[in-house]
Amino acid sequence: MSHTANDRADAETPAAANSRFVSAQDGLRLHVRAYGARTNRALPVVCLPGLARTTADFDALALALSSDRERPRRVLALDYRGRGKSDYDRKAANYNLPVELADVLSVLTALDIGRAAFVGTSRGGILTMLLAVARPTAIAGCVLNDIGPVIDLEGLVRIKSYVGKLPQLSSFPAAADALRRRFANQFPKWSGDDWLTFARQTFKDAGGRLVPDYDPKLATILEAIGPAQPLPTLWKEFDALGRVPVIGDGDSRRPFRHSVAGNR
C-alpha cells in the first residue's frame, strides 16, 4: 500500500515547497515537491515533467499558482522513478509508461488528490492522456505541453541523441554553455540567466562533478526508436479527455484547443 513520509524541506527545495515521499506499489520511493497548503480550496494542480526532466522545471509555475493572492492552489510536481530525488530502479525495464502511470496513481491516492488540473510536458502529457482512461474522474482539465495524440518521431530521435549522453562537467556555467551549444536552435531567445537556470534544472552535483539528474539507464527505453519503428497514436486516450477543458501545444507549431462547455 502506498504511503508518505513526513514532509521535509531541504537546501535544494524552494522555501515555499516541501519534499514528500510516496512508496510505489513495488516499494520504490517516489519524490513529490509540494507547494501551498492542503487547506487551499481552489482546485489543486499536478505537474508531470518530460522524459528526463524533474520537478525543478515547474518551480516558477508552482510558486506562482500556490502564492496567488486571490486563489492560492495546492500544487504537486512529481519526479518519476529514476529522476530527481526519486529512487533509481534496479530494473531499467521498469522505466515504462504502465509502471509510471501506476506511480502517478499511487501519488494521487497517497496525497489524497481526488480531482485536479494537470500540466503535462512531453512524457507528462502522455501520462495525463493515459490517466484519462485509467482514472477519468481524476482530471478536471489539463495542459498538454509539447505533446499531442500523434507523437513526433523526429522529436523522439532528438531526445534519443542526448538522453544518457550528456557530458560530465565541472561547473554550472560550463553546463549552461554545453546546453546552449546543443539546444540554441530550439530556444533562440534565451538569455545567459535562462541557460544557467536550465543547467541547474538538468544537472546535479555528485561529489564535485555535475551529472544529469536522472538514471543513465533511462536511455535504454529509447534504443528501439527510429524510422523503422512506427509509433502508435494516442487518439483514444486523447478522446478520453473530451469532457474536460484541454489546452495544448502538440508539436510547438500546431497548437490545439479542445474543450466542452459546462466544465468548471
Side-chain angles (χ1 to χ4, degrees):
M1 179 179 295
S2 299
H3 62 278
T4 62
N6 293 331
D7 290 356
R8 69 177 179 86
D10 57 51
E12 298 177 4
T13 301
N18 288 306
S19 286
R20 304 203 61 180
F21 293 90
V22 173
S23 291
Q25 291 181 333
D26 58 3
L28 186 140
R29 193 177 71 156
L30 302 168
H31 171 249
V32 181
R33 188 169 284 181
Y35 305 74
R38 291 174 61 94
T39 54
N40 287 343
R41 301 183 65 180
L43 187 73
V45 175
V46 176
C47 300
L48 302 176
L51 173 69
R53 306 301 301 169
T54 72
T55 62
D57 285 352
F58 296 106
D59 282 345
L61 173 65
L63 287 169
L65 292 174
S66 62
S67 62
D68 184 85
R69 290 186 178 183
E70 295 185 2
R71 185 175 288 187
R73 299 177 185 272
R74 184 184 183 197
V75 182
L76 303 176
L78 171 63
D79 280 334
Y80 309 130
R81 60 179 58 212
R83 288 81 146 183
K85 294 183 176 67
S86 289
D87 288 346
Y88 289 9
D89 200 311
R90 294 181 179 180
K91 299 179 180 178
N94 285 338
Y95 295 140
N96 64 61
L97 288 167
V99 170
E100 291 169 11
L101 175 61
D103 290 346
V104 172
L105 290 168
S106 292
V107 167
L108 297 179
T109 299
L111 299 185
D112 196 27
I113 301 294
R115 187 168 179 265
F118 285 75
V119 179
T121 294
S122 190
R123 193 173 184 87
I126 294 175
L127 286 166
T128 299
M129 288 185 274
L130 295 176
L131 180 64
V133 174
R135 189 180 290 181
T137 57
I139 301 178
C142 67
V143 175
L144 302 179
N145 177 39
D146 198 30
I147 193 67
V150 179
I151 301 173
D152 177 33
L153 177 60
E154 181 183 346
L156 273 181
V157 171
R158 184 175 65 249
I159 292 170
K160 179 182 177 180
S161 72
Y162 64 80
V163 169
K165 301 172 185 176
L166 293 176
Q168 295 181 6
L169 298 157
S170 59
S171 69
F172 283 109
D177 287 341
L179 292 173
R180 181 190 292 111
R181 289 193 297 271
R182 182 177 286 270
F183 300 112
N185 289 339
Q186 293 173 251
F187 308 108
K189 296 183 180 180
W190 276 15
S191 67
D193 286 343
D194 291 329
W195 288 109
L196 187 58
T197 296
F198 189 41
R200 293 185 182 280
Q201 293 170 340
T202 302
F203 292 89
K204 65 179 179 181
D205 190 311
R209 58 191 176 92
L210 298 185
V211 298
D213 200 6
Y214 57 80
D215 185 350
K217 295 195 299 291
L218 193 62
T220 62
I221 69 174
L222 299 171
E223 288 176 351
I225 298 297
Q229 182 73 19
L231 297 170
T233 62
L234 295 169
W235 286 111
K236 173 187 173 183
E237 292 77 9
F238 179 73
D239 287 344
L241 293 166
R243 290 179 292 180
V244 301
V246 177
I247 297 176
D249 169 8
D251 67 357
S252 300
R253 294 182 294 275
R254 294 189 294 276
F256 60 83
R257 184 183 298 267
H258 166 62
S259 64
V260 176
N263 290 288
R264 296 290 184 269

